C-alpha cells in the first residue's frame, strides 16, 4: 500500500492507473476508521481495479472549532486497517497540501444544503464541497463512495459534481450499524458505554416512525419522533424531520404514497450524532 502525502504524488499515482485503462474507486474519509468506512472500501474494491482512500480531517467543514479539536485521530490504526483490506494507496495530506491557498468560493449546492444539517451547521457543506472538489480534481477517480449515514452530504456532493461536470460517479452506500442499531461513527468513541447504549434509541425512533408512517403527514411523524426521544433523559434532539428524499422539502403528496426519509440530529453526552432512514 502506497502512502501519499503530497497532492502531486497522489494525482500522479491515480493518473498512472488511468493511463493503463484501469478504473479507480475513491473513498474520502476523516479517519478513525470503523466498519462503516470499510464497507465503502470493500464496495470500491469490488467495482474498480484500484482503490484509493483519503484520510484528512478537513478543518473547513467544522463549524465548531471544539468539535474539530476533539475529533478522534488514529493514523497508525487506520493505516493498518487499510493495509489489511488491500487498499492500493492512501492519500494522507497536511492541510497545506489540500489548501495551499484558502478556498473562499461559495459553492452552489442545491436544496439539500439549505435545510437541517445545512441550517444547524452553517458553512459545513461549503467546507465539504471545497475538499471534495479538490480531491476529485486531483485524481479524477471513476467512482467515489459516500455513506448514506451522511444523507444530505451525499445529495450535496452529487449536486456539486453534476454542476461542475466532474467525471466521477457518486455512489451512495448503506448505513452500517452497531448491534443495538446505533449508526457507526467516529464520534461514537466519545460516548461512554451507558451513552452508547442510550444512542440505540435514535435508531429505535426511526424504526418506530417507519412502522407507523402509513398515511400520516410528515409534520406529525416528526413530532412523534421528537416525543419518542423526549422520554429518555440525556438525549437532546436538535431536529427530527420527515422530508422528500430528493428535494429535502415537505413531501407532496404528504400521505406516504411516495417514499419519504426521516432524518435526525441529537446530542448525547456532549456528542452530536446524526442518523436517517427511508420510510
Ligand atoms: P467520515 O470519516 O465520517 O467523514 O466518513 C467518511 C465516509 O464514510 C462518509 O461518506 C460517510 O458517510 C461514510 N460513513 C461514515 N459512517 C458510516 C456508516 N455507519 N455506514 C456507512 N457509511 C458511513
Amino acid at each position: 500500500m502506497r502512502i501519499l502525502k503530497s497532492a502531486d504524488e497522489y494525482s500522479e499515482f491515480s493518473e498512472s492507473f488511468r493511463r493503463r485503462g484501469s478504473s479507480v474507486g475513491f473513498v474520502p474519509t476523516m479517519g478513525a476508521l470503523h466498519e462503516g468506512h470499510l464497507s465503502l472500501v470493500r464496495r470500491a474494491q469490488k467495482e474498480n481495479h484500484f482503490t484509493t482512500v483519503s484520510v484528512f480531517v478537513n478543518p473547513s467543514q467544522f463549524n465548531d472549532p471544539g468539535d474539530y479539536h476533539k475529533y478522534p485521530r488514529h493514523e497508525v490504526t487506520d493505516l493498518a486497517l487499510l493495509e489489511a483490506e488491500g487498499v492500493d494507496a492512501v492519500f494522507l495530506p497536511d492541510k497545506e497540501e489540500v489548501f495551499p491557498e484558502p478556498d473562499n468560493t461559495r459553492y452552489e449546492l442545491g436544496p439539500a444544503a439549505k435545510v437541517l444539517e445545512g441550517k444547524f451547521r452553517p458553512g459545513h457543506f461549503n467546507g465539504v464541497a471545497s475538499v471534495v472538489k479538490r480531491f476529485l480534481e486531483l485524481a479524477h477517480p471513476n467512482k467515489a463512495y459516500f455513506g448514506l449515514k451522511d444523507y444530505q452530504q451525499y445529495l450535496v456532493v452529487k449536486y456539486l459534481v453534476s454542476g461542475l461536470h466532474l467525471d466521477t460517479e457518486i455512489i451512495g452506500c448503506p448505513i452500517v450499524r452497531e448491534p443495538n442499531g446505533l449508526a457507526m461513527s467516529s464520534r461514537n468513541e466519545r460516548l461512554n458505554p451507558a451513552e452508547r447504549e442510550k444512542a440505540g434509541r435514535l435508531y429505535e425512533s426511526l424504526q418506530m416512525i417507519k412502522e407507523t408512517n402509513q398515511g400520516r403527514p410528515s409534520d406529525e411523524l416528526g413530532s412523534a419522533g421528537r416525543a419518542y426521544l423526549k422520554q429518555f433523559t440525556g438525549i437532546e434532539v436538535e431536529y427530527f424531520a420527515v422530508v422528500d428524499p430528493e428535494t429535502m422539502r415537505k413531501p407532496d403528496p404528504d400521505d406516504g404514497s411516495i417514499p419519504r426519509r426521516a432524518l435526525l440530529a441529537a446530542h448525547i453526552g456532549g456528542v452530536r450524532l446524526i442518523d436517517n432512514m427511508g420510510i
Side-chain angles (χ1 to χ4, degrees), residues 28-31 34 36-37 39-40 61 71 145-150 153 173-177 183-186:
T29 81
M30 296 204 296
H34 49 68
H37 297 111
S39 72
L40 271 52
Q61 73 186 67
Y71 200 83
Y145 295 82
F146 289 82
L148 296 180
K149 147 110 186 342
D150 299 278
Q153 169 172 279
C173 304
I175 303 174
V176 178
R177 297 180 178 282
M184 289 193 180
S185 164
S186 307

Side-chain angles (χ1 to χ4, degrees), residues 108 157-166:
E108 184 43 59
V157 168
K158 277 217 304 192
Y159 191 96
L160 173 83
V161 164
S162 129
L164 296 174
H165 306 292
L166 299 175

Side-chain angles (χ1 to χ4, degrees), residues 7-277:
D8 286 347
E9 263 184 315
Y10 172 55
S11 185
E12 174 47 36
F13 193 70
S14 196
E15 179 65 25
S16 71
F17 293 144
R18 289 199 323 277
R19 271 200 300 270
R20 282 183 261 156
S22 303
S23 62
V24 178
F26 172 54
V27 181
T29 81
M30 296 204 296
L33 301 178
H34 49 68
E35 278 296 315
H37 297 111
L38 299 183
S39 72
L40 271 52
V41 168
R42 291 171 195 142
R43 173 98 178 258
Q45 288 173 316
K46 211 188 279 176
E47 297 182 355
N48 300 278
H49 298 109
F50 292 94
T51 296
T52 63
V53 176
S54 63
V55 176
F56 176 61
V57 184
N58 171 30
S60 76
Q61 73 186 67
F62 284 82
N63 55 311
D64 171 1
D67 190 25
Y68 173 69
H69 292 296
K70 278 187 251 163
Y71 200 83
R73 288 160 173 89
H74 302 303
E75 194 175 299
V76 174
T77 331
D78 287 348
L79 291 175
L81 283 170
L82 295 174
E83 174 108 60
E85 291 295 325
V87 164
D88 299 288
V90 180
F91 183 36
L92 196 67
D94 286 341
K95 186 174 158 249
E96 290 67 31
E97 280 295 324
V98 181
F99 299 116
E101 305 288 334
D103 176 7
N104 298 317
T105 319
R106 299 272 304 167
Y107 291 95
E108 184 43 59
L109 298 173
K114 296 187 173 76
V115 297
L116 307 181
E117 288 299 284
K119 211 158 105 185
F120 283 94
R121 299 186 69 190
H124 166 64
F125 286 129
N126 209 69
V128 169
S130 169
V131 75
V132 168
K133 173 177 175 276
R134 173 88 171 124
F135 285 175
L136 297 186
E137 285 182 342
L138 276 175
H140 299 280
N142 299 76
K143 295 181 180 179
Y145 295 82
F146 289 82
L148 296 180
K149 147 110 186 342
D150 299 278
Y151 184 73
Q152 285 179 265
Q153 169 172 279
Y154 162 70
L155 291 184
V156 164
V157 168
K158 277 217 304 192
Y159 191 96
L160 173 83
V161 164
S162 129
L164 296 174
H165 306 292
L166 299 175
D167 50 1
T168 300
E169 186 184 347
I170 302 303
I171 312 282
C173 304
I175 303 174
V176 178
R177 297 180 178 282
E178 303 281 354
N180 72 348
L182 170 62
M184 289 193 180
S185 164
S186 307
R187 287 187 172 87
N188 293 353
E189 66 181 70
R190 292 176 44 211
L191 300 169
N192 67 31
E195 291 161 347
R196 198 175 268 249
E197 203 41 51
K198 188 171 286 185
R201 304 294 187 183
L202 303 180
Y203 173 70
E204 266 175 33
S205 71
L206 293 167
Q207 278 286 101
M208 184 276 287
I209 292 298
K210 187 181 169 83
E211 281 157 20
T212 59
N213 108 77
Q214 288 79 9
R216 294 169 74 195
S218 51
D219 286 352
E220 191 181 311
L221 292 170
S223 305
R226 280 189 295 277
Y228 181 83
L229 291 173
K230 221 176 163 184
Q231 303 173 77
F232 308 106
T233 50
I235 302 183
E236 255 177 73
V237 179
E238 201 167 80
Y239 63 77
F240 195 121
V242 172
V243 296
D244 178 310
E246 300 294 329
T247 63
M248 296 298 292
R249 297 205 181 94
K250 194 180 170 76
D252 181 19
D254 193 13
D255 56 6
S257 60
I258 57 167
R260 297 187 285 186
R261 201 153 192 108
L263 299 100
L264 66 82
H267 295 257
I268 297 179
V271 183
R272 186 176 187 277
L273 301 169
I274 59 171
D275 201 351
N276 70 88
M277 188 180 284

